[in-house]
Amino acid sequence: MLKPRHQVGVYHTPDYFSVDKSLELLIKDWGGEDQIFPKNSTVLLKVNLLFAYRPEQACTTHPKLVESIARKLIKRNNRVLIGDSPGGWISLSTMDKIFTVTGMKKAAINSGAELISFDQGVKQYSIPRAAKLFQIKLTDIMEKVDFIISIPKLKTHGLTLLTGAVKLNYGFIPGSLKGELHVRFPDFRDFADVILDLSEVCPSDLIIVDAIQSMEGNGPAGGTPINTSLLVGGVNPLEVDYILAKIMGYTNPLEIPFLQQARQRKLLNPEKIKLQLRTDSWIYPDFKKITKPGLFLPPHLSRMLLKIAGTKVVFNLDKCQHCNRCIFSCPAKALAKGPTIDRRKCISCFCCQENCQYSAIYSEKPWLGKVLEKIWGNA
Ligand code: SF4
Ligand code: SF4
C-alpha cells in the first residue's frame, strides 16, 4: 500500500453525521481505499478511552467516527478490533463500563467490530534510539494485528499541553505502569522525551483525528467541548500533532515541549509537511490553551519556576462523589481521603484529573503564573 509520507489532510466536518463524507474525501486524497486500507487483515482501531466519559463530554474518541471507519474496514473483509488501555488499574467490569458509557460497545455491535482490553498480554520492548526510555513493557496487541489505525481526540493536556496522535501511544502502556513512568520522569521535558521514545515502538499505519468536537481549557478530562468541526488525517504522528497545534491557535507549534524536542532530535521537520486543506477555516486563535511559564529557561530554573508558578490540580469538593479513584491513580501517593493533597509530593502529572469522571478536579494557575503568562505568553 502507498504511504503518502508527510501528507496531512484537514477536512471540514460540521458534526458526527458528516463523518462518512469526510472519510470519503480523505480516502480519495490518499489514492482510494486500496491505497489506504488493508484487505483480509486484522486491524486495530486504537482509540482514546480515558475513562467512562460520555461522547458529548469530548474526553474520548467519538463512537460515530470509530463505527464509520470500522464499517469501511469490515466491508473489505478485515477483522476489526477496537481498544485502548485507560489509566490506572482497570478490572474487566470497569473496562466493560468504559466501553458502554463511551459508546464504543454500541459502535462495535453496529459495525461488527470486536472490543479488546489491552491489559491481557504484556511484553518487554527495547528502544535503541531512545533518549530516556530504553526498555518498556507494552501491550503485545501490536504483534497480534496486521494494521493499526490511531483515532485520537484533539484535547489540551496539563502536562503535555496537547494530546493528539503522539500522546495516544501512552495507551499502549498497560494500566498502572503509566503512573510509574510519571514518577520516574516527573520533569515535563523528560516526559516529552518519553512519549517521543514511545512513538519509535508504537507504529500506526494511519492516523485519523477526531477534531470534530475537541476539548479546550482544562483538559484532558475537565475541559470544555469546542466545535472545531475538523477531521485530520496523516501517517506521521508528529506531523499530525504539529497541524493540531496550529488548529489550537499556536502560531509556533514548537512552543509545545514535545514538538520542540522532536525538532531538536531531528524527528520532526515541519517544512516537509504537505498540508492538504479541505476546509475554508481551520485555525482557532481563541482556543483556550494550557500554558507553562518559562519554557525558554534552563531546565533547573524552569523546574523551580513551575513548582511555584505552574498549573496545579485543585479539587472542587462540591462536585466530588468520594469515589477515591483519584487517590488510587496518583502515582506519587500525594492524595489521601477527603481527598486532600500533599503539595510537596505532587509531581503535576494530572493523572488524578484524567481519572475523575465527575469533573471535580481542575487545573489552576497561581497568581504568579498568571502574571508571567501575561508577560511571556506561553514562553
Ligand atoms: S475528586 Fe473525583 S476521583 Fe477524586 S474522589 Fe472525588 S469524585 Fe472521585
Ligand atoms: S495529586 Fe494528581 S497531579 Fe499530583 S501527583 Fe497525584 S495524580 Fe499527579
Side-chain angles (χ1 to χ4, degrees):
M1 278 188 306
L2 177 80
K3 278 206 172 183
R5 292 183 62 204
H6 307 305
Q7 185 170 319
V8 181
V10 181
Y11 301 85
H12 176 61
T13 314
D15 51 44
Y16 289 98
F17 298 103
S18 331
V19 156
D20 277 321
K21 206 171 147 205
S22 297
L23 283 175
E24 287 306 325
L25 262 181
L26 186 150
I27 290 164
K28 201 168 150 221
D29 285 347
W30 254 257
E33 280 204 358
D34 286 341
Q35 301 297 337
I36 194 169
F37 289 151
K39 244 183 190 171
N40 308 320
S41 304
T42 301
V43 183
L44 171 67
L45 301 185
K46 166 71 177 76
V47 293
N48 181 337
L49 294 181
L50 189 60
F51 198 60
Y53 293 100
R54 298 184 310 281
E56 61 273 20
Q57 289 178 281
C59 284
T60 49
T61 308
H62 200 284
K64 283 263 182 239
L65 174 59
V66 180
E67 185 182 323
S68 291
I69 297 170
R71 278 183 196 278
K72 289 190 186 305
L73 289 161
I74 287 167
K75 263 194 199 155
R76 293 175 63 81
N77 205 29
N78 292 298
R79 178 182 175 217
V80 176
L81 311 175
I82 301 170
D84 188 20
S85 163
W89 184 81
I90 301 281
S91 66
L92 283 178
S93 64
T94 307
M95 199 65 221
D96 189 65
K97 181 180 169 194
I98 292 172
F99 282 137
T100 305
V101 176
T102 55
M104 280 314 150
K105 193 180 263 187
K106 201 167 164 208
I109 292 168
N110 290 349
S111 62
E114 299 161 49
L115 297 169
I116 179 160
S117 166
F118 284 2
D119 291 351
Q120 285 160 8
V122 172
K123 198 182 154 190
Q124 182 90 13
Y125 288 83
S126 301
I127 312 178
R129 293 203 310 157
K132 294 279 178 317
L133 203 61
F134 293 93
Q135 296 280 328
I136 179 72
K137 279 188 186 139
L138 296 172
T139 166
D140 61 359
I141 185 71
M142 296 182 292
E143 304 196 355
K144 295 176 182 161
V145 298
D146 308 303
F147 196 89
I148 299 176
I149 303 182
S150 293
I151 319 179
K153 184 91 172 167
L154 170 58
K155 296 189 291 179
T156 50
H157 193 286
L159 181 60
T160 56
L161 305 189
L162 178 166
T163 166
V166 173
K167 178 70 170 53
L168 188 77
N169 289 332
Y170 212 63
F172 283 114
I173 302 172
S176 54
L177 282 178
K178 294 185 189 73
E180 287 174 27
L181 281 186
H182 282 296
V183 176
R184 271 176 68 198
F185 303 102
D187 183 276
F188 71 90
R189 285 187 180 88
D190 292 343
F191 192 76
D193 270 327
V194 165
I195 58 172
L196 293 176
D197 291 345
L198 265 180
S199 288
E200 301 269 320
V201 272
C202 301
S204 46
D205 298 282
L206 179 65
I207 300 156
I208 301 176
V209 186
D210 173 4
I212 300 168
Q213 193 173 47
S214 306
M215 177 177 280
E216 64 173 357
N218 197 20
T224 313
I226 170 174
N227 292 328
T228 35
S229 305
L230 298 168
L231 200 73
V232 180
V235 290
N236 180 322
L238 284 160
E239 293 178 354
V240 167
D241 280 1
Y242 187 91
I243 296 303
L244 294 185
K246 287 252 179 201
I247 292 171
M248 290 167 82
Y250 285 93
T251 41
N252 177 13
L254 299 183
E255 285 172 12
I256 294 177
F258 75 85
L259 291 176
Q260 191 184 92
Q261 266 158 257
R263 178 82 167 126
Q264 280 164 8
R265 286 171 62 177
K266 298 193 174 19
L267 302 171
L268 168 70
N269 181 355
E271 282 154 31
K272 286 193 172 169
I273 299 174
K274 291 186 189 122
L275 184 61
Q276 185 135 34
L277 289 177
R278 296 287 198 167
T279 174
D280 294 333
S281 69
W282 62 288
I283 292 175
Y284 289 79
D286 297 329
F287 195 105
K288 290 191 188 71
K289 301 183 266 298
I290 293 177
T291 57
K292 279 191 195 296
L295 283 179
F296 61 91
L297 294 170
H300 66 287
L301 286 180
S302 74
R303 221 172 286 142
M304 268 167 49
L305 192 63
L306 273 175
K307 264 277 175 217
I308 48 173
T311 305
K312 312 250 180 301
V313 288
V314 181
F315 291 79
N316 181 342
L317 294 180
D318 290 338
K319 286 189 177 176
C320 177
Q321 302 297 311
H322 304 284
C323 67
N324 293 338
R325 194 170 161 78
C326 54
I327 300 171
F328 297 126
S329 64
C330 175
K333 310 239 175 306
L335 296 176
K337 274 207 166 174
T340 57
I341 181 165
D342 183 341
R343 294 272 173 211
R344 289 162 308 172
K345 289 186 182 170
C346 176
I347 54 172
S348 292
C349 64
F350 300 91
C351 290
C352 52
Q353 192 197 18
E354 284 183 12
N355 279 282
C356 177
Q357 58 179 313
Y358 301 101
S359 301
I361 306 176
Y362 59 99
S363 43
E364 194 175 70
K365 197 163 272 179
W367 67 267
L368 180 58
K370 287 178 188 159
V371 171
L372 292 176
E373 187 180 303
K374 284 220 166 82
I375 301 169
W376 288 336
N378 191 38

